[in-house]
Amino acid sequence: MTDRVVAALQALVRIPTVSDRDPARVDTGAFDRLLVELATCFPLLHERLELTRVGTHGLLFHWAGASAERPVVLMAHLDVVPVDTGAPWRHDPFGGEVHASDVGPAVWGRGTLDDKGCVAAICEAVESLLEAGHEPAQDVWLSFGCDEEVSGTAAIEAVGVLRDRGVTPWLVLDEGGAIAGGAFPGVKAPLGVIGVTEKGTTSLELVAEGRGGHASTPARNGPTARIARAILRIEKSPFPASAPAPTLELMRRLAPHVPLPLRPFLGRADRLAPVVTRALLAAGPEAAAMTRTTVAATTLSGSPALNVIASTAKAGLNIRVMVGDTVAGVVEHIRKAVDDDSIRIDVVESGEPSPVSPMDEAFELVEGCIGEVFPDAVATPYVMMAATDSRHFTAISDHVYRFAPFRMTKAQREAIHSYDEHLGVADLVDGARWYRLLIERLPA
Ligand SMILES: [Zn+2]
């Protein structure tokens, strides 16, 4: 098991399947090679499971189980983000080499954590179960997207296929949380964080128009000044904060592991929601983002020349919509904050937050497998800040969870989409073992 899953991850990392919003810039040959490589590494899986192709290179496998009553979808994605050639990688990002690391021998390279490690571990779990002659108690679907990093459509297509076939997943599991070390100051135990919801990603553009003209004769209150004022007003009107239920549950589960003076406080987190919310707001931007919708002014444009007054000025706003808020409500909040009828608000991209998946039987299965393979970890629900392909699956399932069964240190988590991404060899093997256990434990 060890050799095959490690060799598979190395082989997958060596093929630079970088996705791009512009299809013309995608090396489709690399994706072709990746699919061939996957079939070479896991022959039984490819022989026995029924395959439906989705998108350009997305894969949807169906492994028929004893029952189709409670189907399960295991997700991952085959594409990766590009490598910044100026970044100081210690090892070739597309070398897939095994070298020493802070977590012991590790496979290094782009995609080891995000998300080819999951692809390799899921396939290894299935391949080894097929070898053992195992029949899953329930139908198992594997959904591997090819354009997750560019918010592509392969996952939407996979959802369409499942819907057409009348499949209502009992459990959907995608990347997201992990066995996170050093996640909480003062807590030694790693947290097994399971995303039960994710924020929605929405982008707005503020547009101000005016006469423009020669910079030697400026008029007051031109487009640029109005955009600047609008941005400042938005910054002064943050969205109301309130810690959502999964965050309060995280606090409660953390209570036995925090330094003694904090224990009673966190243990009663659900009754002290306003206090918890204030504490999170005070704890810095990362913690504050757990309590409310956030707005970041990102792109700016105005005059094309130093001596020209802009006739149009624009500001882009990237907004992460919190569970409980809606895109319509967000636009209304921004309109009120800006308080300027001359500024147009265009919705460029609209994404609602995902519904909160319940902590019932399906969650408990995930939790139980964490307890078995990672006995030192504290399993807990949480709200994910980033977006995953699994958000599309909320259209056909109430039980969508985001968790990759890998130990990740803080440094490893920071390497995702950055440089020096690496996954411990022993952690990869544990991950494959975790997926295998999950499949073995599917309820009859
Ligand atoms: Zn990812």
Side-chain angles (χ1 to χ4, degrees):
M1 183 167 186
T2 305
D3 291 352
R4 181 172 56 204
V5 69
V6 175
L9 179 57
Q10 291 183 282
L12 298 182
V13 169
R14 286 179 191 136
I15 305 171
T17 46
V18 178
S19 50
D20 196 293
R21 280 175 203 269
D22 177 2
R25 289 167 53 105
V26 175
D27 176 3
T28 54
F31 281 87
D32 290 339
R33 293 202 301 281
L34 191 87
L35 299 193
V36 171
E37 186 61 54
L38 202 61
T40 308
C41 293
F42 303 106
L44 266 188
L45 184 157
H46 285 75
E47 187 191 310
R48 304 270 187 82
L49 274 55
E50 175 205 4
L51 171 63
T52 309
R53 289 280 297 259
V54 290
T56 57
H57 293 85
L59 305 176
L60 180 65
F61 288 102
H62 178 214
W63 187 10
S67 163
E69 281 290 298
R70 298 199 254 190
V72 169
V73 184
L74 303 178
M75 296 178 64
H77 61 89
L78 305 168
D79 61 319
V80 295
V81 293
V83 165
D84 174 355
T85 46
W89 281 81
R90 264 180 277 175
H91 303 290
D92 179 0
F94 295 115
E97 298 159 15
V98 173
H99 290 286
S101 78
D102 52 336
V103 295
V107 182
W108 289 72
R110 173 61 85 227
T112 46
L113 298 175
D114 183 15
D115 187 29
K116 289 176 174 175
C118 284
V119 174
I122 291 171
C123 290
E124 174 60 37
V126 172
E127 188 81 4
S128 69
L129 284 168
L130 286 167
E131 285 169 344
H134 179 83
E135 182 194 41
Q138 301 291 338
D139 276 13
V140 176
W141 297 81
L142 313 180
S143 181
F144 299 153
C146 55
D147 49 16
E148 193 274 346
E149 298 292 1
V150 293
S151 300
T153 54
I156 299 173
E157 259 186 62
V159 167
V161 171
L162 292 173
R163 186 188 269 133
D164 289 348
R165 294 181 60 163
V167 177
T168 303
W170 176 76
L171 164 67
V172 177
L173 191 75
D174 197 6
E175 61 173 338
I179 304 295
F184 209 89
V187 177
K188 277 206 199 80
L191 300 189
V193 285
I194 306 163
V196 291
T197 177
E198 62 189 52
K199 283 181 151 184
T201 304
T202 292
S203 297
L204 306 180
E205 197 162 54
L206 307 179
V207 184
E209 282 165 344
R211 211 178 47 84
H214 200 283
S216 61
T217 55
R220 284 179 61 84
N221 226 7
T224 307
R226 279 183 278 133
I227 285 292
R229 186 176 63 189
I231 293 172
L232 286 176
R233 285 179 175 173
I234 290 166
E235 187 154 296
K236 281 182 194 140
S237 320
F239 280 80
S242 98
T247 303
L248 295 175
E249 179 63 17
L250 184 153
M251 296 295 160
R252 207 183 59 76
R253 291 186 179 215
L254 218 49
H257 305 275
V258 296
L260 205 54
L262 271 173
R263 275 180 211 173
F265 169 65
L266 287 190
R268 283 176 294 143
D270 45 343
R271 275 169 288 158
L272 294 172
V275 189
V276 171
T277 303
R278 280 202 298 279
L280 287 171
L281 281 176
E286 212 176 352
M290 293 169 71
T291 67
R292 64 179 168 207
T293 295
T294 57
V295 184
T298 51
T299 56
L300 285 173
S301 65
S303 164
L306 274 171
N307 60 351
V308 171
I309 293 172
S311 57
T312 304
K314 294 180 182 176
L317 303 176
N318 190 257
I319 300 175
R320 303 305 169 106
V321 188
M322 189 64 173
V323 176
D325 287 346
T326 62
V327 173
V330 162
V331 173
E332 207 33 54
H333 176 101
I334 296 291
R335 197 186 304 283
K336 274 196 190 138
V338 168
D339 191 24
D340 181 345
D341 291 340
S342 76
I343 290 185
R344 198 172 79 228
I345 301 176
D346 294 341
V347 179
V348 180
E349 166 191 28
S350 168
E352 302 285 355
S354 298
V356 180
S357 295
M359 289 172 54
D360 56 10
E361 237 187 325
F363 180 90
E364 282 164 13
L365 173 65
V366 174
E367 200 183 2
C369 292
I370 292 177
E372 187 105 347
V373 178
F374 308 101
D376 55 328
V378 183
T380 172
Y382 85 119
V383 177
M384 259 192 72
M385 304 292 141
T388 68
D389 263 350
S390 72
R391 69 187 180 283
H392 302 300
F393 283 72
T394 59
I396 54 166
S397 175
D398 296 333
H399 295 78
V400 177
Y401 303 95
R402 300 138 185 101
F403 171 73
F406 300 127
R407 289 183 191 273
M408 294 185 201
T409 61
K410 195 161 193 286
Q412 279 175 298
R413 296 197 299 281
E414 284 167 359
I416 293 173
H417 288 212
S418 178
Y419 62 93
D420 276 351
E421 192 178 345
H422 61 282
L423 171 58
V425 166
D427 299 323
L428 172 61
V429 172
D430 278 348
R433 201 153 62 83
W434 187 89
Y435 282 116
R436 185 178 157 134
L437 186 69
L438 182 91
I439 296 170
E440 285 173 328
R441 287 207 175 160
L442 293 177

